[in-house]
Amino acid sequence: MSMKPRLIVPDPDTAATYYQKTMGAEEVFRAQDDNGRVMVVVLQVDGSPFSLSPAVPEWGWLSPDDIGGSPVLLEAEFADQDAVAERMVAGGGTVIVPVENRPYGKREGRLRDPFGHLWIVTGELR
């Protein structure tokens, strides 16, 4: 099985730029509808893909802001969790739990990106 999260965002182009700048994501695919509206952008971070699509309420595609917050935590492992968290905040994200060494052997924190998605930024102790 392969699983690839698709994040629903107000503007896939803005979100793609944010993830490229903050997480080092690379765009690997993009599709538009007949009107030129971006319907999916596939990004990849260190071999792990995820997609972005716009909110389309008639299809049930709702962003976190549309439903009052995200019910999902996305856990992403990075070599330098502090740098990623700093870039996320500089780009408009919010720290929910600071990045710190945890007693269970990980260095991690929790952040909300500017689109309402919740992230656990994790990795090895430093």
Side-chain angles (χ1 to χ4, degrees):
M1 182 182 97
S2 174
M3 187 176 294
K4 176 175 46 180
R6 183 176 295 207
L7 307 181
I8 305 302
V9 295
D11 177 6
D13 286 322
T14 300
T17 298
Y18 175 81
Y19 297 121
Q20 289 167 339
K21 289 181 179 178
T22 62
M23 297 180 183
E26 294 179 51
E27 184 174 318
V28 297
F29 178 80
R30 169 182 293 261
Q32 299 174 316
D33 66 13
D34 293 338
N35 298 319
R37 180 180 179 189
V38 175
M39 295 309 296
V40 65
V41 176
V42 178
L43 300 172
Q44 191 167 317
V45 178
D46 291 332
S48 295
F50 65 101
S51 301
L52 307 171
S53 286
V56 183
E58 57 271 21
W59 295 352
W61 292 8
L62 304 173
S63 73
D65 288 344
D66 295 331
I67 61 171
S70 177
V72 175
L73 285 168
L74 298 156
E75 187 169 336
E77 191 164 327
F78 297 96
D80 190 344
Q81 312 87 330
D82 297 277
V84 170
E86 288 171 13
R87 289 191 301 265
M88 288 179 75
V89 170
T94 306
V95 173
I96 305 300
V97 177
V99 173
E100 297 175 342
N101 289 342
R102 304 291 172 194
Y104 44 83
K106 292 286 187 180
R107 181 167 183 80
E108 65 183 33
R110 290 150 191 87
L111 295 101
R112 179 178 293 114
D113 69 27
F115 319 104
H117 294 284
L118 299 170
W119 293 84
I120 298 174
V121 175
T122 187
E124 299 303 315
L125 292 174
R126 296 182 36 195

